[in-house]
Amino acid sequence: MISSSNAHQPLTHHHRLSINITTPHPLPFVSTNPSSSYHRKNETYQSPSVEAPFDSYLPFLPPFNRTMASHIVGYPRMGPKRELKFALESFWDGKSTAEDLQKVAADLRSSIWKQMSDAGIKYIPSNTFSYYDQVLDTTAMLGAVPSRYNWNGGEIGFDTYFSMARGNASVPAMEMTKWFDTNYHFIVPELGPDVKFTYASHKAVTEYKEAKALGVDTVPVFVGPVSYLLLSKPAKGVEKTFDLLSLLDKILPIYKEVIAELKEAGATWIQFDEATLVKDLEAYQLEAFTKAYAELESACSGLNVLVATYFADVPAEAYKTLTSLPGVTGYTFDLIRGEKTLGLIKSSFPSGKYLFAGVVDGRNIWANDLAGSLAVLESLEAVVGKDKLVVSTSCSLLHTAVDLVNETKLDDEIKSWLAFAAQKVVEVNALAKALAGKKDEAYFAANAAAQASRKSSPRVTNEAVQKAAAALRGSDHRRATNVSARLDAQQKKLNLPILPTTTIGSFPQTIELRRVRREYKAKKISEEEYVKAIKEEIYKVVQLQEELDIDVLVHGEPERNDMVEYFGEQLSGFAFTANGWVQSYGSRCVKPPIIYGDVSRPKAMTVFWSSMAQEMTKRPMKGMLTGPVTILNWSFVRNDQPRFETCYQIALAIKDEVEDLEKAGITVIQIDEAALREGLPLRKAEHAFYLDWAVHSFRITNVGVADTTQIHTHMCYSNFNDIIHSIINMDADVITIENSRSDEKLLSVFREGVKYGAGIGPGVYDIHSPRIPSMEEIHDRINKMLAVLETNILWVNPDCGLKTRKYAEVKPALLNMVAAAKKLRAELASAK
């Protein structure tokens, strides 16, 4: 049911669209428990089953014309208020049941389907919901469970599923890495010749039926079979040269089983996401797509098959392969990041096929330029025909915030420039309506006014910042002395033992700590009370590290909400949301800042807290900063100038902070570039340009410091091997880097002869799992590192910050880490 205060007028900024949702019919894997609440800590959470807010200032669309061709590639699954996050964490903590979790999930799914249906979307996705990750869901569907999880067959339940994602008390989790060039992480399948594939999760069919019971006919979405294999890795003990595509014949029968069940359930469309087609693929890999779809063709008979690509241009050869695939009805292309694909479509689109044109940006939060998109669509209509053109998003909306209606604190001007996932759904349909000759003139006029306002707003441009950033381009920005000489100077000053121990920066963020920050922000406690509480927390963290005998300390970052948001809040040119959460992995969400204008630093950001922490100890205290490339890649970035220009502006702001920390007596400064690898373009031809400005941005931040000031950086959860020379070119004194969850893949670079002269700390244990590693396990890991790295450059540290862990896990893990380092120091000394 849709209600509006004025049903036949366009909605204004003050209207909202409300959708009443009924509970879905009981189905397998859906709770029939009448209670929709569960307890989290001391709160009771009510699941969102009664009313799902949709939209704040969007056009009313009566009567909904279901023949208008609109499509959404995928949708966020966390919920507008992170309902799934809290349900997952409550379940993991043993505070709620599996039925409670399933109930929250079912309510979220139903609200999403109803939102899209009521907004007039014709092709609505299902099976894009996940309790953790869509690639892991595919692994479960194929029954490709690594043997260490002791799965004995049958339908995969939560125990096995979450063990694969998070590890358990006895075995580690599967590797996690970035999904293409986004900040979303997926669980990497571990495959080999002996894997026995079996249909072990009926989730796709169950969810299709669930939507159908609500009166919504959906398009079930899958990670395509070839992309699934190309995103996998050989399991432990399997030759690294093993051809993963050789498993295609083993997994296709399971896809066929699922397809048969979906056909029986009444599905008419099915979507395969084959995003690896945008990468540089070899001929034999492209042939695998042809082979797979030829094999699936008879199984898909009677179904419309959509193959989706996104995140970049589809190379010409891949485009030729894709548009010749047997049994395929239509193709989805990203026309935001894939501008060259437009040319391919216009010159050679196959007759009679559907084109799903991704003209609404699924990765950023700017309102669509509707007039510009409509012009593109009209030009495509002339190529493919009116009845074969479908308006779509450029990719899944998983990568955007959920709903602008929940933003009550953003000012009206900036808010008018934005569209979150819920608003993008309406943009898609408004474009489809316009193409069908039913253009909402008022909506298009309001959109044009917002576009003009953004271009002319004085708050967007700062001439001095523009000039300073432009002046950076011609120079190199390198420290005057080479790294080995700097390390000697630093060692004389710091006097560290061999195999020095440190942590990455953050310590656990307790409920009490979050409460203090929340109350200070809401002005419920004074600044004096806030500073006192944070100072006590820092002292506690410093004392703990001294008790553990860690060599280089951190202050634990108790004053920080997020490693990017914290800095953005203190820089000009940034705006912030209250509920603009985006899933990073599992239940972990981030709230990316919005960079809407030129960036500068009005005043020092971290000096007060770092100086306070240094006064509490005689040991070196790291100043902790987030680097410019990571701030850029983990924000919603303005799309009205090149990304590198924005990055140079941020680099100058961080440079000011580095120099102020040094003046305050901080001699070890860590500038995290966790997202450097993530921003690497998907096509090799574009790598050099990106790496050049990204690495240059990092060097700008610390070019002015003394030799005795030690610059650290940190990177996590990416494949680094192919950019190791760029990492060396960053010219940091010490780099700490994720290593344990990726099965020490990083060390293979050094085994292959890459020489690294700076300090390096490959992580010795995985902090994204609650598992506590033993001293012996860490000792063994460090020994493996010593086989390929010089003793005098090796650091000992966890994989990443400890913010998401509990002290009950952190203390014993760090105790074991320090004990392992000390044991090895003794062994090395006696060997001499």
Side-chain angles (χ1 to χ4, degrees), residues 592-641:
I594 298 164
I595 305 177
Y596 67 84
D598 291 331
V599 176
S600 60
R601 185 197 74 143
K603 62 179 192 294
M605 302 180 283
T606 65
V607 176
F608 175 76
W609 300 114
S610 291
S611 302
M612 176 192 286
Q614 185 62 81
E615 285 166 11
M616 295 176 184
T617 180
K618 291 187 166 58
R619 301 183 188 215
M621 173 63 63
K622 281 196 276 193
M624 299 299 306
L625 306 174
T626 303
V629 184
T630 298
I631 291 176
L632 182 89
N633 284 336
W634 288 356
S635 297
F636 290 124
V637 184
R638 58 190 293 189
N639 58 359
D640 58 347
Q641 71 177 18

Short mmCIF file of all heavy atoms in Angstrom, two decimals, residues 592-641:
data_model
loop_
_atom_site.label_atom_id
_atom_site.label_comp_id
_atom_site.label_asym_id
_atom_site.label_seq_id
_atom_site.Cartn_x
_atom_site.Cartn_y
_atom_site.Cartn_z
N PRO A 592 31.14 6.18 4.60
CA PRO A 592 32.10 7.02 3.86
C PRO A 592 31.71 8.49 3.91
O PRO A 592 30.54 8.84 3.74
CB PRO A 592 32.00 6.49 2.42
CG PRO A 592 31.36 5.15 2.53
CD PRO A 592 30.46 5.22 3.73
N PRO A 593 32.69 9.36 4.15
CA PRO A 593 32.41 10.80 4.03
C PRO A 593 32.12 11.14 2.58
O PRO A 593 32.44 10.37 1.67
CB PRO A 593 33.72 11.46 4.48
CG PRO A 593 34.56 10.39 5.07
CD PRO A 593 34.08 9.10 4.51
N ILE A 594 31.54 12.29 2.37
CA ILE A 594 31.25 12.78 1.03
C ILE A 594 32.20 13.94 0.74
O ILE A 594 32.16 14.96 1.45
CB ILE A 594 29.79 13.25 0.93
CG1 ILE A 594 28.84 12.09 1.19
CG2 ILE A 594 29.52 13.89 -0.42
CD1 ILE A 594 27.40 12.51 1.49
N ILE A 595 33.08 13.78 -0.26
CA ILE A 595 33.96 14.89 -0.65
C ILE A 595 33.23 15.66 -1.74
O ILE A 595 33.09 15.19 -2.86
CB ILE A 595 35.32 14.38 -1.18
CG1 ILE A 595 36.00 13.46 -0.14
CG2 ILE A 595 36.23 15.57 -1.52
CD1 ILE A 595 37.32 12.86 -0.61
N TYR A 596 32.72 16.85 -1.36
CA TYR A 596 31.93 17.62 -2.32
C TYR A 596 32.70 18.82 -2.87
O TYR A 596 32.30 19.42 -3.88
CB TYR A 596 30.62 18.10 -1.68
CG TYR A 596 30.82 19.11 -0.57
CD1 TYR A 596 30.98 20.46 -0.87
CD2 TYR A 596 30.87 18.72 0.76
CE1 TYR A 596 31.19 21.39 0.15
CE2 TYR A 596 31.08 19.63 1.76
CZ TYR A 596 31.23 20.97 1.46
OH TYR A 596 31.46 21.89 2.45
N GLY A 597 33.81 19.22 -2.19
CA GLY A 597 34.53 20.42 -2.60
C GLY A 597 36.02 20.30 -2.40
O GLY A 597 36.54 19.24 -2.03
N ASP A 598 36.74 21.40 -2.63
CA ASP A 598 38.20 21.40 -2.46
C ASP A 598 38.56 21.16 -0.99
O ASP A 598 37.89 21.64 -0.08
CB ASP A 598 38.78 22.73 -2.95
CG ASP A 598 38.67 22.87 -4.47
OD1 ASP A 598 38.69 21.83 -5.15
OD2 ASP A 598 38.57 24.00 -4.97
N VAL A 599 39.64 20.41 -0.79
CA VAL A 599 40.00 19.92 0.55
C VAL A 599 41.18 20.71 1.12
O VAL A 599 42.19 20.91 0.45
CB VAL A 599 40.37 18.42 0.49
CG1 VAL A 599 40.83 17.92 1.86
CG2 VAL A 599 39.19 17.59 -0.02
N SER A 600 41.05 21.13 2.38
CA SER A 600 42.18 21.74 3.10
C SER A 600 42.05 21.43 4.59
O SER A 600 41.00 20.95 5.03
CB SER A 600 42.21 23.26 2.87
OG SER A 600 41.01 23.85 3.35
N ARG A 601 43.11 21.71 5.35
CA ARG A 601 43.13 21.40 6.79
C ARG A 601 43.12 22.72 7.58
O ARG A 601 44.14 23.40 7.65
CB ARG A 601 44.40 20.60 7.11
CG ARG A 601 44.47 20.11 8.57
CD ARG A 601 45.87 19.68 8.97
NE ARG A 601 46.75 20.82 9.15
CZ ARG A 601 47.69 20.94 10.08
NH1 ARG A 601 47.93 19.94 10.91
NH2 ARG A 601 48.44 22.01 10.17
N PRO A 602 42.00 23.06 8.19
CA PRO A 602 41.95 24.33 8.94
C PRO A 602 42.88 24.35 10.16
O PRO A 602 43.45 25.38 10.49
CB PRO A 602 40.49 24.44 9.37
CG PRO A 602 39.74 23.50 8.49
CD PRO A 602 40.70 22.41 8.15
N LYS A 603 43.02 23.19 10.85
CA LYS A 603 43.88 23.16 12.05
C LYS A 603 44.35 21.73 12.31
O LYS A 603 43.87 20.79 11.69
CB LYS A 603 43.14 23.73 13.27
CG LYS A 603 41.90 22.97 13.68
CD LYS A 603 41.29 23.62 14.93
CE LYS A 603 40.23 22.78 15.59
NZ LYS A 603 39.02 22.54 14.84
N ALA A 604 45.32 21.58 13.24
CA ALA A 604 45.87 20.26 13.57
C ALA A 604 44.75 19.32 14.00
O ALA A 604 43.79 19.72 14.65
CB ALA A 604 46.90 20.40 14.67
N MET A 605 44.91 18.03 13.63
CA MET A 605 43.83 17.05 13.84
C MET A 605 44.14 16.02 14.92
O MET A 605 43.24 15.53 15.59
CB MET A 605 43.54 16.33 12.51
CG MET A 605 43.16 17.27 11.39
SD MET A 605 42.80 16.43 9.81
CE MET A 605 44.44 16.05 9.23
N THR A 606 45.40 15.62 15.05
CA THR A 606 45.75 14.50 15.93
C THR A 606 46.83 14.85 16.95
O THR A 606 47.14 14.02 17.81
CB THR A 606 46.29 13.32 15.09
OG1 THR A 606 47.52 13.71 14.46
CG2 THR A 606 45.31 12.90 14.02
N VAL A 607 47.43 16.02 16.84
CA VAL A 607 48.62 16.36 17.64
C VAL A 607 48.31 16.33 19.13
O VAL A 607 49.10 15.83 19.94
CB VAL A 607 49.18 17.74 17.21
CG1 VAL A 607 50.35 18.15 18.11
CG2 VAL A 607 49.62 17.71 15.75
N PHE A 608 47.14 16.83 19.52
CA PHE A 608 46.76 16.89 20.94
C PHE A 608 46.80 15.50 21.57
O PHE A 608 47.43 15.27 22.61
CB PHE A 608 45.37 17.51 21.06
CG PHE A 608 44.80 17.52 22.46
CD1 PHE A 608 45.24 18.43 23.40
CD2 PHE A 608 43.83 16.59 22.83
CE1 PHE A 608 44.72 18.42 24.70
CE2 PHE A 608 43.30 16.57 24.11
CZ PHE A 608 43.75 17.49 25.05
N TRP A 609 46.14 14.52 20.91
CA TRP A 609 46.04 13.18 21.49
C TRP A 609 47.37 12.43 21.41
O TRP A 609 47.76 11.74 22.37
CB TRP A 609 44.96 12.37 20.76
CG TRP A 609 43.60 12.97 20.84
CD1 TRP A 609 42.87 13.48 19.82
CD2 TRP A 609 42.78 13.14 22.02
NE1 TRP A 609 41.65 13.95 20.27
CE2 TRP A 609 41.58 13.75 21.61
CE3 TRP A 609 42.96 12.84 23.38
CZ2 TRP A 609 40.55 14.07 22.50
CZ3 TRP A 609 41.94 13.14 24.26
CH2 TRP A 609 40.76 13.74 23.83
N SER A 610 48.08 12.55 20.31
CA SER A 610 49.37 11.84 20.17
C SER A 610 50.39 12.36 21.17
O SER A 610 51.15 11.58 21.76
CB SER A 610 49.91 11.99 18.74
OG SER A 610 49.10 11.28 17.86
N SER A 611 50.42 13.68 21.38
CA SER A 611 51.36 14.27 22.36
C SER A 611 51.01 13.81 23.76
O SER A 611 51.89 13.47 24.57
CB SER A 611 51.31 15.79 22.29
OG SER A 611 51.61 16.24 21.00
N MET A 612 49.72 13.79 24.07
CA MET A 612 49.27 13.32 25.39
C MET A 612 49.73 11.88 25.63
O MET A 612 50.25 11.53 26.70
CB MET A 612 47.74 13.40 25.46
CG MET A 612 47.13 12.84 26.73
SD MET A 612 45.33 12.65 26.58
CE MET A 612 44.79 14.34 26.68
N ALA A 613 49.57 11.03 24.60
CA ALA A 613 49.95 9.62 24.73
C ALA A 613 51.46 9.48 24.89
O ALA A 613 51.94 8.65 25.68
CB ALA A 613 49.46 8.84 23.51
N GLN A 614 52.24 10.27 24.14
CA GLN A 614 53.71 10.17 24.24
C GLN A 614 54.20 10.55 25.63
O GLN A 614 55.18 9.99 26.12
CB GLN A 614 54.37 11.05 23.17
CG GLN A 614 55.88 10.94 23.11
CD GLN A 614 56.39 9.55 22.76
OE1 GLN A 614 56.42 9.17 21.61
NE2 GLN A 614 56.78 8.76 23.76
N GLU A 615 53.51 11.49 26.26
CA GLU A 615 53.90 11.90 27.63
C GLU A 615 53.69 10.79 28.65
O GLU A 615 54.24 10.83 29.75
CB GLU A 615 53.10 13.15 28.04
CG GLU A 615 53.59 14.41 27.35
CD GLU A 615 52.61 15.57 27.50
OE1 GLU A 615 51.66 15.44 28.31
OE2 GLU A 615 52.78 16.59 26.80
N MET A 616 52.90 9.76 28.31
CA MET A 616 52.59 8.68 29.25
C MET A 616 53.63 7.56 29.22
O MET A 616 53.53 6.62 29.99
CB MET A 616 51.22 8.07 28.92
CG MET A 616 50.06 9.02 29.11
SD MET A 616 48.50 8.23 28.56
CE MET A 616 47.33 9.57 28.79
N THR A 617 54.59 7.62 28.30
CA THR A 617 55.54 6.50 28.15
C THR A 617 56.88 7.00 27.65
O THR A 617 56.97 8.04 26.98
CB THR A 617 54.99 5.45 27.17
OG1 THR A 617 55.90 4.38 27.04
CG2 THR A 617 54.74 6.03 25.78
N LYS A 618 57.94 6.25 27.99
CA LYS A 618 59.26 6.57 27.44
C LYS A 618 59.49 5.86 26.10
O LYS A 618 60.44 6.13 25.39
CB LYS A 618 60.35 6.16 28.44
CG LYS A 618 60.37 7.03 29.70
CD LYS A 618 61.56 6.68 30.57
CE LYS A 618 61.81 7.73 31.64
NZ LYS A 618 60.66 7.93 32.54
N ARG A 619 58.63 4.89 25.79
CA ARG A 619 58.77 4.16 24.53
C ARG A 619 58.25 5.03 23.38
O ARG A 619 57.43 5.92 23.60
CB ARG A 619 57.98 2.85 24.59
CG ARG A 619 58.45 1.95 25.72
CD ARG A 619 57.72 0.62 25.73
NE ARG A 619 58.08 -0.12 26.94
CZ ARG A 619 58.21 -1.43 27.01
NH1 ARG A 619 57.98 -2.18 25.95
NH2 ARG A 619 58.56 -2.01 28.15
N PRO A 620 58.67 4.74 22.14
CA PRO A 620 58.15 5.52 21.02
C PRO A 620 56.64 5.32 20.86
O PRO A 620 56.14 4.21 20.96
CB PRO A 620 58.88 4.95 19.80
CG PRO A 620 59.98 4.09 20.32
CD PRO A 620 59.64 3.71 21.73
N MET A 621 55.94 6.42 20.65
CA MET A 621 54.49 6.41 20.45
C MET A 621 54.22 6.82 19.01
O MET A 621 54.62 7.89 18.59
CB MET A 621 53.84 7.40 21.42
CG MET A 621 52.35 7.61 21.21
SD MET A 621 51.34 6.13 21.48
CE MET A 621 51.64 5.81 23.22
N LYS A 622 53.55 5.95 18.26
CA LYS A 622 53.27 6.27 16.85
C LYS A 622 52.19 7.34 16.73
O LYS A 622 51.13 7.22 17.36
CB LYS A 622 52.78 5.02 16.10
CG LYS A 622 53.87 4.06 15.69
CD LYS A 622 53.39 3.07 14.64
CE LYS A 622 52.68 1.88 15.19
NZ LYS A 622 52.49 0.79 14.21
N GLY A 623 52.45 8.35 15.91
CA GLY A 623 51.38 9.22 15.45
C GLY A 623 50.62 8.47 14.37
O GLY A 623 51.23 7.84 13.52
N MET A 624 49.30 8.51 14.41
CA MET A 624 48.49 7.66 13.52
C MET A 624 47.65 8.52 12.57
O MET A 624 46.78 9.27 13.01
CB MET A 624 47.55 6.77 14.34
CG MET A 624 48.26 5.81 15.29
SD MET A 624 49.34 4.65 14.46
CE MET A 624 48.23 3.94 13.28
N LEU A 625 47.93 8.38 11.28
CA LEU A 625 47.20 9.14 10.27
C LEU A 625 46.69 8.20 9.19
O LEU A 625 47.27 7.15 8.95
CB LEU A 625 48.11 10.20 9.61
CG LEU A 625 48.83 11.17 10.55
CD1 LEU A 625 49.79 12.04 9.77
CD2 LEU A 625 47.81 12.04 11.29
N THR A 626 45.64 8.63 8.51
CA THR A 626 45.17 7.91 7.33
C THR A 626 45.71 8.64 6.11
O THR A 626 45.65 9.87 6.05
CB THR A 626 43.63 7.85 7.29
OG1 THR A 626 43.20 7.21 8.50
CG2 THR A 626 43.14 7.04 6.11
N GLY A 627 46.25 7.88 5.15
CA GLY A 627 46.88 8.46 3.98
C GLY A 627 45.89 9.01 2.97
O GLY A 627 44.71 8.66 2.97
N PRO A 628 46.37 9.87 2.07
CA PRO A 628 45.47 10.53 1.12
C PRO A 628 44.75 9.58 0.17
O PRO A 628 43.58 9.79 -0.16
CB PRO A 628 46.41 11.47 0.35
CG PRO A 628 47.79 10.93 0.58
CD PRO A 628 47.76 10.29 1.92
N VAL A 629 45.43 8.52 -0.29
CA VAL A 629 44.81 7.61 -1.26
C VAL A 629 43.68 6.83 -0.58
O VAL A 629 42.63 6.58 -1.17
CB VAL A 629 45.85 6.65 -1.87
CG1 VAL A 629 45.21 5.78 -2.95
CG2 VAL A 629 47.02 7.42 -2.46
N THR A 630 43.88 6.47 0.69
CA THR A 630 42.86 5.73 1.43
C THR A 630 41.68 6.64 1.75
O THR A 630 40.51 6.22 1.64
CB THR A 630 43.47 5.12 2.70
OG1 THR A 630 44.49 4.20 2.28
CG2 THR A 630 42.44 4.39 3.53
N ILE A 631 41.95 7.88 2.15
CA ILE A 631 40.84 8.82 2.38
C ILE A 631 40.03 8.98 1.09
O ILE A 631 38.79 8.97 1.11
CB ILE A 631 41.36 10.18 2.89
CG1 ILE A 631 41.91 10.02 4.33
CG2 ILE A 631 40.27 11.25 2.85
CD1 ILE A 631 42.54 11.26 4.92
N LEU A 632 40.72 9.08 -0.03
CA LEU A 632 40.05 9.21 -1.32
C LEU A 632 39.22 7.96 -1.64
O LEU A 632 38.02 8.05 -1.92
CB LEU A 632 41.08 9.43 -2.43
CG LEU A 632 40.51 9.62 -3.83
CD1 LEU A 632 40.22 11.10 -4.09
CD2 LEU A 632 41.45 9.09 -4.90
N ASN A 633 39.87 6.79 -1.58
CA ASN A 633 39.21 5.56 -2.01
C ASN A 633 38.10 5.11 -1.07
O ASN A 633 37.23 4.34 -1.48
CB ASN A 633 40.24 4.44 -2.19
CG ASN A 633 41.04 4.60 -3.48
OD1 ASN A 633 40.58 5.22 -4.42
ND2 ASN A 633 42.23 4.05 -3.51
N TRP A 634 38.13 5.56 0.17
CA TRP A 634 37.10 5.17 1.13
C TRP A 634 36.09 6.28 1.39
O TRP A 634 35.38 6.26 2.39
CB TRP A 634 37.73 4.67 2.42
CG TRP A 634 38.36 3.31 2.25
CD1 TRP A 634 38.34 2.54 1.13
CD2 TRP A 634 39.10 2.57 3.22
NE1 TRP A 634 39.02 1.36 1.34
CE2 TRP A 634 39.50 1.36 2.61
CE3 TRP A 634 39.47 2.80 4.54
CZ2 TRP A 634 40.25 0.38 3.28
CZ3 TRP A 634 40.21 1.84 5.21
CH2 TRP A 634 40.60 0.64 4.58
N SER A 635 36.03 7.23 0.48
CA SER A 635 35.01 8.28 0.54
C SER A 635 34.14 8.19 -0.70
O SER A 635 34.51 7.56 -1.68
CB SER A 635 35.68 9.67 0.59
OG SER A 635 36.46 9.84 1.74
N PHE A 636 33.00 8.86 -0.64
CA PHE A 636 32.25 9.13 -1.86
C PHE A 636 32.88 10.40 -2.44
O PHE A 636 32.81 11.46 -1.82
CB PHE A 636 30.77 9.34 -1.55
CG PHE A 636 30.06 8.09 -1.13
CD1 PHE A 636 29.38 8.01 0.08
CD2 PHE A 636 30.05 6.97 -1.96
CE1 PHE A 636 28.71 6.85 0.46
CE2 PHE A 636 29.38 5.80 -1.59
CZ PHE A 636 28.71 5.74 -0.38
N VAL A 637 33.52 10.27 -3.59
CA VAL A 637 34.36 11.34 -4.11
C VAL A 637 33.61 12.18 -5.14
O VAL A 637 32.85 11.63 -5.95
CB VAL A 637 35.64 10.76 -4.75
CG1 VAL A 637 36.58 11.87 -5.22
CG2 VAL A 637 36.36 9.85 -3.76
N ARG A 638 33.84 13.47 -5.12
CA ARG A 638 33.24 14.35 -6.12
C ARG A 638 33.57 13.84 -7.52
O ARG A 638 34.68 13.35 -7.76
CB ARG A 638 33.75 15.78 -5.93
CG ARG A 638 35.25 15.90 -6.03
CD ARG A 638 35.77 17.26 -5.60
NE ARG A 638 35.35 18.33 -6.50
CZ ARG A 638 35.82 19.58 -6.43
NH1 ARG A 638 36.72 19.90 -5.50
NH2 ARG A 638 35.41 20.49 -7.28
N ASN A 639 32.62 13.94 -8.41
CA ASN A 639 32.81 13.42 -9.77
C ASN A 639 32.92 14.53 -10.81
O ASN A 639 32.75 14.30 -12.00
CB ASN A 639 31.67 12.45 -10.14
CG ASN A 639 30.30 13.12 -10.05
OD1 ASN A 639 30.18 14.29 -9.69
ND2 ASN A 639 29.26 12.37 -10.37
N ASP A 640 33.23 15.76 -10.32
CA ASP A 640 33.32 16.90 -11.24
C ASP A 640 34.76 17.32 -11.52
O ASP A 640 35.02 18.34 -12.13
CB ASP A 640 32.53 18.09 -10.68
CG ASP A 640 33.02 18.53 -9.31
OD1 ASP A 640 33.80 17.76 -8.67
OD2 ASP A 640 32.64 19.62 -8.85
N GLN A 641 35.74 16.53 -11.04
CA GLN A 641 37.14 16.75 -11.38
C GLN A 641 37.87 15.41 -11.28
O GLN A 641 37.37 14.49 -10.63
CB GLN A 641 37.80 17.81 -10.49
CG GLN A 641 38.03 17.37 -9.05
CD GLN A 641 38.75 18.45 -8.22
OE1 GLN A 641 38.80 19.61 -8.58
NE2 GLN A 641 39.30 18.05 -7.09
#
